[in-house]
Amino acid sequence: GGEDLGAALVGGGIAVAYISHFLEEIFDVCDGVTILHDGRTVGAGRIADLTKLDLIAAMLGRSAEDIRK
């Protein structure tokens, strides 16, 4: 599938833009992430340094603390 193709391209040194709301796939497939909210970049970093809560909060334009409540 698409994940296999992405892995093959990245393994060959080719950058891939992978757009998804499926967080499990993001954590499985990506090394880095750029988070958009209302068309603006609101976060970016290595996926290993972020939690699902970090991603959800940024996508919603809220803080992780607000989401936990």
Side-chain angles (χ1 to χ4, degrees):
E3 292 175 16
D4 296 332
L5 176 59
L9 291 172
V10 171
I14 297 171
V16 176
Y18 186 78
I19 301 168
S20 178
H21 284 92
F22 298 105
L23 298 184
E24 292 295 329
E25 290 178 4
I26 298 295
F27 279 88
D28 288 344
V29 174
C30 300
D31 294 320
V33 63
T34 298
I35 306 154
L36 303 176
H37 177 73
D38 290 336
R40 295 183 179 180
T41 300
V42 295
R46 291 174 5 104
I47 197 70
D49 297 335
L50 300 169
T51 66
K52 288 181 190 173
L53 183 59
D54 294 329
L55 293 180
I56 292 167
M59 288 170 27
L60 295 175
R62 300 173 60 193
S63 71
E65 293 76 34
D66 287 342
I67 302 275
R68 283 191 191 108
K69 293 180 183 178

